[in-house]
């Protein structure tokens, strides 16, 4: 039985994702994403489950930066989970009593409209996780009046649901990944995804285009591109790429070799089965038709027609 570290405590959305991915795993709750990943790196756990991005606000940047800068890890699976946020409080709390709200930053950004409309004067404070917030609110003498978390976290920590489903959109999904220490990759399934982090060797005109060309010329479909600051000053970035296919597929392997030629450093973060329910990809042309369209467009721009 594998032992998996995750962003805890009990009742987080990450725990729900872990239970769906590996129902029989032993669970090791950790206080932060970094602690969960370190538990995997040190061997205290066999793997870890962490949130990567959500469909409304984008990246969970702590996770991206850990993957880029921390001791290398490999993604072995992904899961898309619809998340529903509840406003939870100690029994007998009414909405108008709530002056201080505690929750994870990703929940703050996904419940902005509710907070602005219903609790415009409340102070909203960032917590390590939604369940950590619920646990804190449950303590007598807590400085917080309410938490935003999953309904199940309220059940765990004896809170009541003051308002259900307070997210700005009811169809928000979060993408979670399971990681392990570097080792054998999952076999290709024919419906896989590969993740990379890419650092530029030097900043020059067209550097991003050179990277993208390595994908487009081989018909490899990108599903996410994210830039993150390197920390070396304004204008210095590195990139995360997700794309369809497995590193064992010839065109994916060639695209990665091509990136090694045009970039300073490429960190391979894994090839793993794509989650079901991924939004249908926009239908793309072949590499040849795309180039034809792109050069046609360029000709029109040059001719002043656009
Ligand atoms: O704090 C949690 O419960 C998490 O698992 C992180 C998170 C927070 C908000 C939306 C999705 C995941």
């Amino acid at each position: 039985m594998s032992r998996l570290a995750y962003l805890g405590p009990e009742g987080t959305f990450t725990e729900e994702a872990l239970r769906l991915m590996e129902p029989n795993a032993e669970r090791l709750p950790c206080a932060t994403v970094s602690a969960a990943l370190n538990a995997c790196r040190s061997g205290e756990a066999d793997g870890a489950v962490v949130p990567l991005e959500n469909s409304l606000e984008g990246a969970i940047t702590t996770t991206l930066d850990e993957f880029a800068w921390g001791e290398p890890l490999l993604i072995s699976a992904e899961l898309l989970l619809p998340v529903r946020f509840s406003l939870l409080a100690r029994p007998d709390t009414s909405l108008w009593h709530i002056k201080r709200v505690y929750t994870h930053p990703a929940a703050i950004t996904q419940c902005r409209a509710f907070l602005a409309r219903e609790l415009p004067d409340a102070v909203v404070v960032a917590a390590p996780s939604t369940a950590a917030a619920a646990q804190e609110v449950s303590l007598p003498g807590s400085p917080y009046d309410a938490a935003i978390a999953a309904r199940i976290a309220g059940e765990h920590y004896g809170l009541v649901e003051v308002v259900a489903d307070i997210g700005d959109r009811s169809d928000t999904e979060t993408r979670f990944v399971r990681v392990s220490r570097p080792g054998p990759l999952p076999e290709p399934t024919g419906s896989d995804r590969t993740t990379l982090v890419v650092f530029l060797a030097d900043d020059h005109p067209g550097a991003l285009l050179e990277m993208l060309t390595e994908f487009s010329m081989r018909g490899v479909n990108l599903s996410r591109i994210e830039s993150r600051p390197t920390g070396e000053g304004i204008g210095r970035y590195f990139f995360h790429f997700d794309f369809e296919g497995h590193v064992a597929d010839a065109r994916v392997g060639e695209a990665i070799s091509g990136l090694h030629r045009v970039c300073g450093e490429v960190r391979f973060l894994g090839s793993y089965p794509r989650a079901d329910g991924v939004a249908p990809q926009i239908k793309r042309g072949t590499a040849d038709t795309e180039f034809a369209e792109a050069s046609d467009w360029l000709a029109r721009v040059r001719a002043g027609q656009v």
Side-chain angles (χ1 to χ4, degrees):
M1 186 170 68
S2 59
R3 180 174 154 90
L4 295 183
Y6 71 99
L7 174 64
E10 258 187 279
T12 57
F13 293 109
T14 309
E15 180 182 307
E16 195 182 339
L18 185 162
R19 285 171 178 271
L20 289 167
M21 281 172 150
E22 289 201 31
N24 299 322
E26 184 190 334
R27 292 184 300 279
L28 176 66
C30 297
T32 61
V33 163
S34 303
L37 296 174
N38 283 337
C40 170
R41 290 181 178 115
S42 71
E44 193 189 345
D46 304 304
V49 176
V50 292
L52 184 69
E53 60 170 332
N54 71 70
S55 58
L56 193 57
E57 280 288 325
I60 310 277
T61 50
T62 332
T63 308
L64 294 192
D65 290 350
E66 274 284 350
F67 286 173
W69 302 110
E71 280 294 303
L73 291 167
L74 283 182
I75 302 173
S76 52
E78 67 172 4
L79 179 94
L80 301 182
L81 183 74
V83 290
R84 300 274 176 280
F85 299 102
S86 298
L87 187 70
L88 306 169
R90 292 179 291 275
D92 301 324
T93 309
S94 316
L95 197 53
W96 53 89
H97 289 141
I98 296 174
K99 297 281 173 266
R100 288 175 69 80
V101 178
Y102 198 37
T103 192
H104 187 273
I108 302 176
T109 55
Q110 293 178 69
C111 299
R112 276 194 213 285
F114 172 86
L115 290 168
R117 191 177 64 242
E118 303 294 338
L119 295 170
D121 300 323
V123 175
V124 184
V125 179
S129 74
T130 58
Q135 189 176 39
E136 161 64 40
V137 168
S138 74
L139 301 175
S142 167
Y144 304 104
D145 306 310
I148 298 175
R151 177 181 295 155
I152 192 152
E155 290 167 16
H156 269 300
Y157 301 108
L159 301 178
V160 295
E161 189 173 50
V162 183
V163 187
D165 227 345
I166 63 168
D168 292 351
R169 291 182 63 128
S170 54
D171 56 354
T172 318
E173 289 178 322
T174 300
R175 180 172 165 224
F176 295 87
V177 289
R178 182 208 190 283
V179 300
S180 43
R181 291 182 292 283
L185 301 181
E187 290 295 318
T189 64
S191 174
D192 301 296
R193 195 186 309 285
T194 295
T195 300
L196 298 180
V197 174
V198 175
F199 296 86
L200 296 174
D202 63 309
D203 192 14
H204 61 273
L208 181 58
L209 182 63
E210 284 172 11
M211 291 194 280
L212 296 178
T213 302
E214 297 298 332
F215 296 105
S216 69
M217 69 191 284
R218 297 177 176 93
V220 174
N221 194 19
L222 281 175
S223 51
R224 181 175 65 99
I225 172 167
E226 202 99 52
S227 61
R228 292 285 304 144
T230 60
E232 291 160 348
I234 298 290
R236 306 297 301 265
Y237 294 94
F238 67 96
F239 301 89
H240 280 253
F241 289 109
D242 282 348
F243 46 93
E244 292 177 13
H246 193 283
V247 66
D249 301 342
R251 62 202 178 99
V252 169
E254 283 165 18
I256 297 176
S257 308
L259 283 173
H260 274 286
R261 284 192 291 274
V262 299
C263 299
E265 190 190 332
V266 179
R267 183 181 267 207
F268 175 70
L269 287 183
S271 289
Y272 48 92
R274 284 211 303 273
D276 289 333
V278 177
Q281 302 296 332
I282 297 165
K283 185 115 182 61
R284 305 270 310 262
T286 63
D288 284 351
T289 60
E290 276 161 29
F291 274 132
E293 281 162 23
S295 53
D296 181 45
W297 175 255
L298 199 59
R300 288 171 59 206
V301 172
R302 286 194 174 131
Q305 292 167 352
V306 180

